[in-house]
Amino acid sequence: MVVAVAAVCAGAAAQSGLVMRASARPPAGEVASCELQGVVITGTATGAGSAQVVSWDQIVSVSGDLADEAAPFLVLGEEMWRARTRLARGDVLGAEPLFEALYPRFAGQRGPSSAVVCGGLFRCRLAVGAQTSSVGPWLAYVNAVSDGDSTTLAMPDREPGSIPALDGVTHLAPMLPPVWVNLASVQSLARGPWPLAEDAADTRPKAAALQRWYTLAARFEAGLGASPPAARSERDEGLALVRDVVLARIGDDSQRSAGRTALQTRLAKTSTPWVEVWCHVGIGRSLLRESDRESQLLGVAELLEVAARLERVNPYLTGIAMAESAVALHKLGDSAGAGRVRQEFLDRLPGHPAGEWDALRTWSAAGPPTPKTLPLKSSTDTSNGDPL
């Protein structure tokens, strides 16, 4: 049974009825208009002057005065609903091309329909291991949701107790840190295009700031140059964590030191496993950039702690930690240790993108590295698979 609500459209005598999917009851109020983000309901229960936007994937039909205005959006809504329901039941390969086709229309805009599309594509790409190409849809999702929205996406994580695709408090993606090595996919990411126009009215400040930090991190690893801001002004907790990880890696001497100090302070306080991994990897990779041997060895120890204790929390960062450690040990003259760490990395995390890193592949103590399997690739991703 479907439920409809009829309301007088603003400025019109005819009534407009709204029919929702799954027999859901529409919000009380007047169906005022139709736009790309959904049907606008005014005079809702939250206040006489308030408005609510219902995303198109939730709507079966709009009748009455607004029927013609709604028609083209209902076509989009049908595709959104099909994509969302496929992803919800675990059919990532079926959902991804639908979200992919919708994404150009909704990326960079704010509102519930953009959140469904961008969040869905982010989840699909992350699920198939397309790590770098997940960054754009994730940023677009952060931009689309309301500032106070604590949802972890409309599509829940399927395994209880698993690390969420999106942290509901910070809106960061735990499996998507600003941490890469120089691969073709990272070169592509660094050169853009990025989904958000920073000066656009539809771009939220937090999303724009996240995009700036991720852009700086990608450009640095791609060798394109990156000049971080001098001020440490981020007050948002999620932004502050991203800032500290990036500055500890790409900043000047004082910025790297300050970034490590901030990460060490956070590490001493956190009880969140994925934050712990981010901090250890951020500190370790920062120490590898110092010129003295002692600091670099401390960096290797910090990174290998992740490999020893926290692989299940974040396999992607574990692989980065092991690859960076192997390369660092080789540069420090410990060829035997470097070879052992590299081979263990390839054995434990076959198909990890860092296995294709030139810095890891172009030296050999006892023959070339031997990856055991090929990376899983998405049908629509072009980032060399980037499995997590």
Side-chain angles (χ1 to χ4, degrees):
M1 175 181 179
V2 294
V3 180
V5 63
V8 177
C9 178
Q15 288 185 326
S16 292
L18 185 64
V19 179
M20 306 284 287
R21 296 191 185 277
S23 299
R25 184 176 296 278
E30 296 183 346
V31 181
S33 63
C34 299
E35 58 182 42
L36 181 62
Q37 293 302 322
V39 173
V40 179
I41 310 292
T42 59
T44 64
T46 56
S50 64
Q52 179 177 346
V53 182
V54 182
S55 60
W56 286 110
D57 62 303
Q58 301 181 62
I59 299 170
V60 176
S61 66
V62 178
S63 60
D65 187 68
L66 295 176
D68 291 342
E69 185 178 335
F73 298 124
L74 290 171
V75 176
L76 294 175
E78 178 78 10
E79 292 300 292
M80 290 168 58
W81 172 74
R82 291 182 184 279
R84 176 173 60 79
T85 53
R86 287 181 184 182
L87 181 55
R89 66 174 182 257
D91 182 10
V92 174
L93 296 180
E96 184 181 16
L98 298 177
F99 282 126
E100 193 80 44
L102 292 163
Y103 180 68
R105 184 80 180 268
F106 289 92
Q109 300 188 52
R110 293 158 62 172
S113 288
S114 285
V116 170
V117 171
C118 299
L121 183 58
F122 157 63
R123 285 296 297 267
C124 287
R125 288 183 175 178
L126 199 64
V128 299
Q131 203 264 349
T132 53
S133 67
S134 300
V135 173
W138 164 66
L139 289 170
Y141 172 79
V142 174
N143 186 66
V145 296
S146 301
D147 293 331
D149 191 347
S150 61
T151 181
T152 55
L153 299 183
M155 291 65 64
D157 299 281
R158 296 183 64 80
E159 296 185 13
S162 63
I163 301 299
L166 191 91
D167 180 67
V169 176
T170 64
H171 279 165
L172 297 183
M175 299 298 176
L176 201 61
V179 176
W180 302 280
V181 294
N182 189 9
L183 302 172
S185 58
V186 179
Q187 290 283 341
S188 178
L189 176 67
R191 287 171 167 80
W194 294 78
L196 307 179
E198 292 199 12
D199 56 351
D202 249 9
T203 301
R204 297 184 186 278
K206 178 175 179 176
L210 285 170
Q211 180 171 279
R212 284 193 296 272
W213 287 115
Y214 272 71
T215 302
L216 287 170
R219 287 184 60 83
F220 178 83
E221 301 302 340
L224 300 178
S227 300
R232 296 171 52 82
S233 57
E234 309 293 5
R235 296 183 179 180
D236 178 274
E237 180 61 26
L239 282 174
L241 175 56
V242 169
R243 172 204 64 198
D244 293 336
V245 169
V246 176
L247 280 183
R249 174 69 172 172
I250 77 172
D252 58 27
D253 291 349
S254 62
Q255 288 174 323
R256 293 199 306 274
S257 178
R260 287 196 299 272
T261 298
L263 291 173
Q264 288 163 346
T265 300
R266 186 180 282 104
L267 190 57
K269 297 177 180 179
T270 188
S271 60
T272 306
W274 72 263
V275 176
E276 182 182 358
V277 178
W278 279 41
C279 290
H280 278 302
V281 172
I283 294 167
R285 296 180 86 229
S286 178
L287 287 167
L288 293 184
R289 289 212 59 217
E290 302 306 315
S291 58
D292 61 293
R293 180 183 180 87
E294 181 179 359
S295 292
Q296 292 178 33
L297 287 173
L298 287 172
V300 170
E302 196 81 32
L303 292 171
L304 291 182
E305 182 174 351
V306 173
R309 296 195 302 110
L310 298 165
E311 177 183 341
R312 294 185 65 182
V313 175
N314 195 319
Y316 171 75
L317 277 182
T318 299
I320 294 292
M322 296 182 75
E324 290 268 19
S325 296
V327 170
L329 288 171
H330 178 70
K331 290 179 178 178
L332 289 167
D334 184 1
S335 297
R340 286 194 299 271
V341 173
R342 179 176 64 176
Q343 194 60 55
E344 184 177 356
F345 157 61
L346 294 170
D347 290 344
R348 284 169 57 176
L349 296 166
H352 191 287
E356 300 300 317
W357 185 24
D358 284 345
L360 190 75
R361 292 165 57 87
T362 53
W363 54 268
S364 175
T370 55
K372 293 188 174 180
T373 64
L374 294 176
L376 175 67
K377 294 190 71 175
S378 162
S379 60
T380 57
D381 182 54
T382 58
S383 62
N384 296 327
D386 283 4
L388 295 173

